Each structure stands twice: as structure tokens, then as C-alpha cells.
Amino acid sequence: LASGSRDGTIKLWDVRRGNLLQTLTGHSYSVHSVAFSPDGRTLASGSRDGTIKLWDVRRGNLLQTLTGHSYSVFSVTFSFNGQTLASGSGDNTIKIWQVASLTNTATSSSTKPTQFNIPQPAASTPHTQPVITQPPIKPTTTSLFTSIEVFFLLVWLGDGVFFVIVGSMRGSAWFVLPLGVFLLLFALLFVLIRKLTRHSTK
């Protein structure tokens, strides 16, 4: 079992006996995520210091430090064949690393990590920083029916005299109109809204 801590260390445990096997040190801030390679020989760790470190589980040695994220690395995971590693960061990017040669202790010292370029819009970051971006969120459209928040209050003054009080739900304005004028304005407004609605749906 591997555990990452806020103290910047990673500890390896014997699950059967509950004994501490190794303490891996190297990160300068909290360790947010750890993951074993499929063969169990390599451990990847992601940290608040923005780096990913690869460790030799048997010897407890640091194999490689992967840099490229500009913020904390919150998640790391190996592919099913152990040849690639994916990392997710608070900088809103996901990076894919080729780590097959890095996990070989005989060649790791002379090998640099390779980041795969993930297809992305031309306006995103340079190719040296592959990014998986979510689809753009389309702004919601609001019709006139939902944007107008008013209330109507019919007032009878006697002798067949009616007035209509028109007010804003937010209390910003209100009007007092004779019933006849109100009905005329309401009819004109209804016709205008229908025309605008038809035009917007074309």
C-alpha cells in the first residue's frame, strides 16, 4: 500500500503485517495522488509542488521527476500496459507522458519524458503543453417572456372606472394606467413579442 501525505512524503506499507516498508522523500509540498504501475515495480506521485515523481518501489529510489504542470497535480494514473502515465492538474490540463523507458532503472538517467500532443483547438496552449479541453459552454438565451418580470393589479374606483397598476417585480418602477390604455398597450406588446419570437427562431 502507498500513501501520500501533507508532509510531502510517501510511505509504503506491508498490508499483511501493517509494517512501514519505505518512506519516500523528494516532494516539497503535499502529495495529492499516488499510483502503482501495472507490474507493481514503479510508483508515480503527484504533488502540490506541480511535479510528478517516479519511484523504484523495491529500492525506494527516485527514478525521474516530470515537470510541465504550472499548478498542483491532483491525479496520476498508469495505462493498462504501464507505458504511459496521465496526470491531471489544477492548471486545467491533462498531460500524457511516455514513461516506458523511464521505469527502466538501467536507462532512466539518460532519458527525458515525452509528452504526447493531444488534438486541441488552435487557440489553446502551445504543443509542448498538451491539453484536453471541455466543450465550450453555450450561453443560454432568454426570451422576452422570461426576461420581463412584472405584475399587474386591477383597481376599481367605482362608477365603472378601472385602473391598472403595472409594477416591476424588483420594485424598480411602476405605472398607473387607465384600463383602456393598458389593454391597447398590451395588445401592441403581444404583437411585437410574436414578431420578435418568429424572427429569432428563423
Side-chain angles (χ1 to χ4, degrees), residues 8-50:
T9 67
I10 303 157
K11 294 186 182 296
L12 302 179
W13 307 85
D14 183 331
V15 177
R16 184 183 303 175
R17 300 178 181 179
N19 297 333
L20 176 63
L21 301 176
Q22 293 270 6
T23 297
L24 310 179
T25 60
H27 285 294
S28 56
Y29 287 100
S30 305
V31 177
H32 292 304
S33 179
V34 291
F36 283 103
S37 61
D39 60 11
R41 296 181 179 180
T42 307
L43 180 74
S45 58
S47 170
R48 185 183 174 187
D49 60 16

Side-chain angles (χ1 to χ4, degrees), residues 44-58:
S45 58
S47 170
R48 185 183 174 187
D49 60 16
T51 68
I52 303 155
K53 293 185 183 293
L54 301 178
W55 308 85
D56 184 330
V57 174
R58 187 187 306 174

Side-chain angles (χ1 to χ4, degrees), residues 21-179:
L21 301 176
Q22 293 270 6
T23 297
L24 310 179
T25 60
H27 285 294
S28 56
Y29 287 100
S30 305
V31 177
H32 292 304
S33 179
V34 291
F36 283 103
S37 61
D39 60 11
R41 296 181 179 180
T42 307
L43 180 74
S45 58
S47 170
R48 185 183 174 187
D49 60 16
T51 68
I52 303 155
K53 293 185 183 293
L54 301 178
W55 308 85
D56 184 330
V57 174
R58 187 187 306 174
R59 301 179 181 179
N61 298 334
L62 176 64
L63 299 176
Q64 188 79 35
T65 298
L66 310 181
T67 59
H69 285 294
S70 60
Y71 201 71
S72 302
V73 178
F74 291 110
S75 180
V76 290
T77 185
F78 282 93
S79 62
F80 71 95
N81 58 9
Q83 294 185 0
T84 56
L85 178 76
S87 59
S89 169
D91 61 12
N92 296 326
T93 67
I94 298 170
K95 296 186 184 295
I96 308 298
W97 310 83
Q98 183 177 348
V99 296
S101 58
L102 301 181
T103 57
N104 186 341
T105 57
T107 60
S108 63
S109 59
S110 60
T111 308
K112 293 184 179 180
T114 300
Q115 301 180 45
F116 287 127
N117 292 324
I118 300 175
Q120 54 186 308
S124 67
T125 55
H127 291 295
T128 55
Q129 296 184 2
V131 181
I132 296 178
T133 57
Q134 66 181 30
I137 300 175
K138 296 182 179 179
T140 56
T141 57
T142 305
S143 66
L144 287 176
F145 290 101
T146 58
S147 61
I148 300 176
E149 299 178 359
V150 296
F151 68 87
F152 306 98
L153 181 62
L154 181 64
V155 179
W156 178 52
L157 300 181
D159 296 330
V161 180
F162 291 90
F163 281 89
V164 177
I165 299 177
V166 183
S168 168
M169 294 294 289
R170 300 179 181 178
S172 58
W174 59 277
F175 305 93
V176 179
L177 299 173
L179 179 60

